[in-house]
Amino acid sequence: MASRTVAKDIITLRGSAAIVSEFFGYAANSILYNRGVYPEESFAKVKKYGLPMLLTQDDGVKSFITNLTAQLSEWLESGKLQRVVLVIMSKATNEVLERWNFSIETDSEVVGKGVSKEKSDKEIMREIQAIMRQIASSITYLPCLDEPCVFDVLAYTDKDVKAPFTWIESDPKLISNPQMVKLHSFDTKIHKVDTLVSYKNDDEFDEQ
């Protein structure tokens, strides 16, 4: 009986950085759409990861996300990026309502020696699909954001990284006593991304 084999794809450091930074761009768009930070009509539908995805058509947000993913890709290639956090805040008070936390582990051997890894593109896509589905269903497990909101992105890098002038030092924008939901993770064999969303605990609805 013939054995069944799954074709593996060669993943390079640059290729992995491109996959992860592109994921952040789509994830950010999906969060902004599903959490209602921008109006529904300002997004257009595209197909990505075998799923219908929404992308912002707002020029300012588009430019921000394009610049963000380019910078993240650079940090990912150098193995210097530890975490990316998308923060949703009240527009009126700047109070932090949600933190979408993406922790990154990088294979230091790949960065140091330039070796490649093997993993099928389909497998990576399936893992990313699972996260995107959870983001899309976030309305079922997160409190309603019933006020105008804005967003910001924090990047946690190694201490020796010199941030470009477009980035500024920031406080961590934490939520006191948050509720947390762990989402799926994905792994390119070079970068592993763990996803977690924390949100403001609305005491009103807590059981006594």
Side-chain angles (χ1 to χ4, degrees), residues 17-36:
I19 290 167
V20 176
S21 58
E22 183 180 59
F23 159 78
F24 283 129
Y26 280 93
N29 271 281
S30 188
I31 292 164
L32 297 176
Y33 173 81
N34 285 290
R35 302 306 291 137

Side-chain angles (χ1 to χ4, degrees), residues 112-186:
K113 298 179 182 174
V115 296
S116 300
K117 296 281 179 173
E118 287 188 356
K119 184 165 182 173
S120 77
D121 287 342
K122 276 189 177 171
E123 210 178 332
I124 295 169
M125 188 174 83
R126 271 199 304 271
E127 291 173 8
I128 291 176
Q129 264 182 357
I131 300 171
M132 293 304 186
R133 286 198 172 101
Q134 284 182 310
I135 293 172
S137 66
S138 60
I139 195 161
T140 62
Y141 58 84
L142 292 174
C144 182
L145 297 175
D146 52 5
E147 60 179 302
C149 292
V150 293
F151 82 102
D152 205 354
V153 174
L154 312 177
Y156 291 74
T157 60
D158 291 1
K159 285 194 166 64
D160 61 351
V161 168
K162 196 172 186 307
F165 72 93
T166 48
W167 290 72
I168 57 167
E169 287 286 328
S170 167
D171 67 273
K173 300 189 187 298
L174 298 174
I175 300 168
S176 61
N177 190 29
Q179 298 279 78
M180 295 186 192
V181 177
K182 193 175 186 324
L183 278 66
H184 288 296
S185 59
F186 81 93

